[in-house]
Amino acid sequence: MANGSQDTASRKMAKLIVAEERGDGNYGFRQKIVPLDDVEEELEEAKELT
């Protein structure tokens, strides 16, 4: 097996789910899988969109 596939398999990831309230009172959900090191940046971006 190639070393590249082992590195990819051992990389820690996080799943982010963001809820957005819609105009009709319902909520929509977005999900994204990001590297664990990028979680803070992704959360800041999500806060700016809401």
Side-chain angles (χ1 to χ4, degrees), residues 28-42:
F29 298 91
R30 291 185 296 124
Q31 65 181 11
K32 190 173 187 180
I33 297 175
V34 298
L36 194 57
D37 295 336
D38 295 342
V39 170
E40 291 295 325
E41 293 172 20
E42 292 290 337

Side-chain angles (χ1 to χ4, degrees), residues 20 30 40-50:
E20 299 173 316
R30 291 185 296 124
E40 291 295 325
E41 293 172 20
E42 292 290 337
L43 290 176
E44 289 300 320
E45 287 179 21
K47 286 179 186 177
E48 291 174 6
L49 295 175
T50 58

Side-chain angles (χ1 to χ4, degrees), residues 2-3 5 8 10 13 15-18 21-22 24-28 30 35 40-41 44 46-47 49-50:
N3 287 338
S5 63
T8 303
S10 65
M13 303 295 282
K15 184 176 188 178
L16 304 178
I17 301 173
V18 178
E21 188 172 8
R22 296 183 178 160
D24 60 1
N26 291 323
Y27 287 86
R30 291 185 296 124
E40 291 295 325
E41 293 172 20
E44 289 300 320
K47 286 179 186 177
L49 295 175
T50 58

